[in-house]
Amino acid sequence: MPHLAHIDFHAPSAEVGPLLIGVTLLVDGVGGRIVEAEAYDREDPASHSFSGPTPRNASMFGEPGRAYVYRSYGIHWCLNLVCRESGHGAGVLIRALEPTHGLDIMRARRGVDDPRLLCSGPGRVGQALGIDRSFDGMRLDRPPFELVAREGEPDIATGPRIGISKALDVPWRFGMAGSRFLSKPFPRR
DNA sequence: GCAACGATGTCCT
DNA sequence: GGACATCGTTGCT
């Protein structure tokens, strides 16, 4: 039987990121296996927390083990898992899932049929899982959230993060090597 | 296949 | 006014 993942969200986001690859993320029973995630930190020019707390990023400075949900480009809802200690401002952005649970619900929310277009990108993950501002600050260890432990050690790919203009060399993008559900392929070596 | 672009909330200069 | 942790559509170098 599957069991709950025991992720230590007090660890730095760059350590939590790889640990999340292969973990199943569900919201109200809908979701899939995490195949891509990115770490962000307070001392990180690409991070929302870099310039200090604001009303938007307040959850990122709150307790670890909770959700930080933000609106991207005025349109998409994106989900982060808060890391380190309260007040630090670190998190892991969920960028892509391999859909495993509630495919029909996600198809209806997304308006597409192809499983590879359901959760391959942070905005798509938010839409497929029904995420909005009301999920901001919620605990990840109780409903509607559920994290199911992975089975075995996945082969982890790393590389530079996507869609940013600062700290382009920081290799804090993590993915399941060879997955067909990544938002983009990882650079070859 | 890929570059350009629009949509548009929140924060910064 | 401009940038941005994006995505879907358009139109053709």
Side-chain angles (χ1 to χ4, degrees):
Chain A
M1 285 292 288
H3 50 93
L4 294 185
H6 48 283
I7 304 290
D8 180 11
F9 286 105
H10 292 271
S13 51
E15 294 179 15
V16 174
L19 297 176
L20 290 172
I21 303 302
V23 170
T24 295
L25 167 65
L26 304 177
V27 176
D28 286 323
V30 174
R33 188 175 297 114
I34 299 171
V35 297
E36 183 181 339
E38 287 178 353
Y40 290 89
D41 193 84
R42 180 74 166 83
E43 314 298 325
D44 169 12
S47 174
H48 287 174
S49 58
F50 183 67
S51 298
T54 67
R56 177 173 75 150
N57 65 21
S59 291
M60 214 176 167
F61 287 92
E63 292 180 43
R66 292 182 180 251
Y68 162 48
V69 175
Y70 72 95
R71 184 89 102 153
S72 177
Y73 289 87
I75 297 174
H76 307 100
W77 293 107
C78 299
L79 172 66
N80 288 253
L81 313 188
V82 177
C83 296
R84 302 194 69 155
E85 68 271 12
S86 291
H88 185 88
V92 175
L93 171 68
I94 304 301
R95 287 196 53 93
L97 308 178
E98 174 182 344
T100 58
H101 290 63
L103 278 280
D104 288 340
I105 292 174
M106 291 194 281
R107 286 192 180 99
R109 287 172 175 162
R110 292 271 304 117
V112 297
D113 287 336
D114 186 347
R116 293 173 60 164
L117 295 178
L118 290 180
C119 303
S120 296
R124 291 167 173 173
V125 169
Q127 188 178 29
L129 270 50
I131 298 285
D132 63 30
R133 169 119 291 171
S134 70
F135 290 73
D136 186 46
M138 281 188 179
R139 292 178 58 141
L140 302 171
D141 60 350
R142 58 175 60 172
F145 284 99
E146 186 177 350
L147 291 170
V148 184
R150 64 193 184 189
E151 299 177 18
E153 290 281 316
D155 190 4
I156 307 279
T158 66
R161 294 169 293 182
I162 292 184
I164 57 173
S165 58
K166 297 167 187 166
L168 300 178
D169 55 324
V170 176
W172 281 359
R173 179 182 178 223
F174 308 101
M176 186 174 291
S179 171
R180 300 185 306 282
F181 297 92
L182 300 172
S183 68
K184 292 173 80 167
F186 278 78
R188 307 276 279 185
R189 293 178 331 110

